[in-house]
């Protein structure tokens, strides 16, 4: 199963990707995590991406497509994968087509902007391993400490309210057109994602038929 998850920043794509990954035993390719790792390691692509991410802007297509194309050649992607955070533009989607990447289904998680802002202001991310938590919905066992590695949980700069509003504007302008792009291909499933993780997961699995 080769899947793409669409939705605004904070819609719950990462959480649902993790659940699907465990259910179907296929890897999640999160461009956000890959980019942050590149920034941490100060790679060439990481240096290029940092200024855009710090400002809450989209990383240029050529950087994202290059990272994804490298990742999809790994052995663990042979039986399928979940793309989380890519494509973000129609140009990226067309680049995937040009790479010969066949997508079975695209799931768009729909959430109102006001709910997105509330969600993201409560999100905390491990600065060591990138694991994501929330002060209301997905609390760590110990406050401020990652369950997985013991790292410090922080509010990322791109989760600050003013940055969230800018990211939502960019999403509506540049990424939302993908809904129509994939709908025209007949592989889009739009689901409501504004009433909790469990309800959203149920709708995702219904869409997948598993």
């Amino acid at each position: 199963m080769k899947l793409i998850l669409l939705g605004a920043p904070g819609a719950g794509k990462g959480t649902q990707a993790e659940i699907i990954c465990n259910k179907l035993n296929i890897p999640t390719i999160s461009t956000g995590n890959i980019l942050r790792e590149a920034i941490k390691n100060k790679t060439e692509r990481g240096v290029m991406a940092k200024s855009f991410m710090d400002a809450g802007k989209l990383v240029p297509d050529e950087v994202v497509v290059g990272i994804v194309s490298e990742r999809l050649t790994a052995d663990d992607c042979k039986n399928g994968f979940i793309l989380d955070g890519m494509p973000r533009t129609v140009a990226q989607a067309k680049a995937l087509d040009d790479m010969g990447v066949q997508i079975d289904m695209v799931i768009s998680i729909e959430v109102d902007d006001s709910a997105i802002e509330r969600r993201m202001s409560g999100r905390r991310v491990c600065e060591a391993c990138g694991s994501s938590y929330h002060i209301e919905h997905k609390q760590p066992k110990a406050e401020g400490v990652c369950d997985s590695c013991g790292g410090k949980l922080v509010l990322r700069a791109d989760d600050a309210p003013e940055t969230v509003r800018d990211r939502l504007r960019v999403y509506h302008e540049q990424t939302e057109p993908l809904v129509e792009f994939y709908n025209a291909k007949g592989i889009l499933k739009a689901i409501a994602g504004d009433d909790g993780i469990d309800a959203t997961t149920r709708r995702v699995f219904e869409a997948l038929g598993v």
Side-chain angles (χ1 to χ4, degrees), residues 94-198:
K94 291 179 178 178
L96 281 179
D97 288 346
D98 291 342
M99 287 162 51
V101 177
Q102 299 295 319
I103 300 299
D104 297 315
M105 186 180 297
V106 178
I107 295 177
S108 178
I109 302 175
E110 309 289 336
V111 183
D112 289 339
D113 284 4
S114 58
I116 292 288
E117 291 190 37
R118 291 194 302 272
R119 283 186 185 183
M120 295 185 74
S121 65
R123 189 158 68 177
R124 300 294 181 269
V125 176
C126 177
E127 61 182 4
C129 74
S131 294
S132 183
Y133 299 85
H134 196 279
I135 59 176
E136 295 179 4
H137 311 301
K138 191 180 178 184
Q139 298 176 351
K141 295 176 182 177
E143 185 176 353
V145 179
C146 177
D147 293 346
S148 300
C149 73
K152 181 182 178 182
L153 301 184
V154 298
L155 174 65
R156 292 192 335 221
D158 55 358
D159 287 337
E162 62 276 11
T163 307
V164 170
R165 286 189 286 272
D166 187 56
R167 292 176 70 195
L168 285 169
R169 178 188 59 76
V170 171
Y171 168 77
H172 291 306
E173 291 177 356
Q174 300 188 27
T175 306
E176 205 165 38
L178 284 168
V179 172
E180 181 55 37
F181 178 84
Y182 283 115
N183 188 50
K185 288 177 174 286
I187 59 174
L188 181 84
K189 298 283 188 179
I191 66 170
D194 53 4
D195 57 352
I197 293 173
D198 291 343

Side-chain angles (χ1 to χ4, degrees), residues 28-125:
T28 298
I29 312 302
S30 171
T31 52
N33 286 344
I34 293 173
L35 285 169
R36 281 187 284 275
E37 184 68 19
I39 289 172
K40 180 180 177 182
N41 294 333
K42 297 182 179 179
T43 67
E44 181 179 353
R45 286 196 177 100
V47 171
M48 291 174 62
K50 187 175 188 304
S51 61
F52 291 91
M53 292 180 68
D54 285 349
K57 299 184 183 299
L58 293 177
V59 178
D61 286 350
E62 59 269 22
V63 178
V64 178
V65 173
I67 288 174
V68 171
S69 62
E70 291 174 357
R71 180 66 180 86
L72 295 183
T73 62
D75 287 342
D76 64 342
C77 292
K78 288 181 178 179
N79 294 322
F81 52 80
I82 307 163
L83 286 180
D84 170 19
M86 196 276 181
R88 286 189 175 178
T89 64
V90 171
Q92 288 182 1
K94 291 179 178 178
L96 281 179
D97 288 346
D98 291 342
M99 287 162 51
V101 177
Q102 299 295 319
I103 300 299
D104 297 315
M105 186 180 297
V106 178
I107 295 177
S108 178
I109 302 175
E110 309 289 336
V111 183
D112 289 339
D113 284 4
S114 58
I116 292 288
E117 291 190 37
R118 291 194 302 272
R119 283 186 185 183
M120 295 185 74
S121 65
R123 189 158 68 177
R124 300 294 181 269
V125 176

